[in-house]
Amino acid sequence: MGPDGIYKVKFQEPEIDPAHLALGRYLDEWNFLEHILGDLLISMLGVERSLMPTLAGNLGVRGQIETVRELSGAIFDETTAEKCSSLMDRLNSAGGIRNKLVHGYWMLEVVIASFQNDIKHRVRPFRRYDPSSIELQDKLKNPKEHKLREKYMFGIGKIVSLSGSLNELSTELQSFMNSIFPPNVYE
């Protein structure tokens, strides 16, 4: 501590590249998942792949999810429709997280602590999405609001973990689709 009572800490801004890399990988996983959803939708409708950009552009992801869910009840047996609906629920939930990551912004969190006259600090980048409620925004400033911060703040490790979850969902959705609509290797 200096004579003026202010702690002076050497600070070196961390390189943000790992954060952008993690976010980019997450978005790649999301993009792949959207393609599988589109393939499932066109298979269920029995239309040409060339129509997918029109369908995706007009329905959006949530519209595609709801269309697949409704069609599954009409064309699949009950067990298959329930499996499809469960996958669509998970995809819909992942879409909410995706929106927070895409529309969020990068911040650096600096935590400084004094322990036995030794100053320690930690700096970490994270992606933050502000809720619309001013009250919730104020609560996010409190590091003790762990549950709330988990919903709106995403560190690099969490983004990497979410990418893995998207990959698992993609694999399950692809397997589900292939079990109903075997891939045509000649297309």
Side-chain angles (χ1 to χ4, degrees), residues 1-181:
M1 178 174 4
D4 54 0
I6 296 176
Y7 289 106
K8 296 186 180 176
V9 179
K10 288 183 182 178
F11 176 77
Q12 181 178 353
E13 185 172 318
E15 202 170 295
I16 302 297
D17 287 343
H20 286 101
L21 182 61
L23 183 61
R25 285 184 177 152
Y26 176 87
L27 295 175
D28 283 346
E29 290 293 345
W30 179 261
N31 185 49
F32 184 62
L33 190 53
E34 279 189 15
H35 282 283
I36 297 169
L37 175 63
D39 285 346
L40 178 59
L41 179 60
I42 62 173
S43 295
M44 291 172 81
L45 292 171
V47 298
E48 294 294 319
R49 178 179 297 276
S50 61
L51 294 177
M52 195 56 230
T54 302
L55 290 170
N58 286 290
L59 292 174
V61 173
R62 291 200 194 268
Q64 290 176 67
I65 291 169
E66 290 310 312
T67 302
V68 166
R69 187 189 316 273
E70 292 299 318
L71 285 172
S72 71
I75 64 176
F76 299 148
D77 63 69
E78 186 176 340
T79 303
T80 305
E82 285 175 7
K83 174 67 176 169
C84 186
S85 184
S86 174
L87 288 166
M88 293 304 104
D89 287 344
R90 290 174 54 203
L91 184 51
N92 193 48
S93 178
I97 294 169
R98 175 249 178 226
N99 288 343
K100 289 176 182 173
L101 285 171
V102 167
H103 299 291
Y105 54 94
W106 289 110
M107 292 189 72
L108 289 176
E109 181 173 59
V110 180
V111 178
I112 301 172
S114 174
F115 180 71
Q116 298 177 347
N117 291 330
D118 190 22
I119 304 300
K120 298 288 184 189
H121 72 283
R122 179 188 69 175
V123 179
R124 73 176 185 112
F126 63 91
R127 192 84 173 165
R128 177 176 166 159
Y129 178 81
D130 288 332
S132 56
S133 162
I134 300 297
E135 181 182 341
L136 288 179
Q137 288 178 28
D138 288 340
K139 284 184 177 183
L140 277 176
K141 295 174 186 171
N142 182 351
K144 293 180 182 177
E145 291 282 352
H146 298 290
K147 293 270 187 205
L148 183 64
R149 288 166 64 93
E150 284 179 14
K151 287 178 65 176
Y152 296 100
M153 297 169 68
F154 305 88
I156 295 172
K158 186 171 182 179
I159 295 170
V160 169
S161 175
L162 289 168
S163 295
S165 297
L166 287 183
N167 183 277
E168 289 173 19
L169 182 55
S170 294
T171 300
E172 287 182 53
L173 188 59
Q174 185 73 58
S175 294
F176 172 79
M177 186 177 79
N178 290 347
S179 72
I180 298 165
F181 304 105

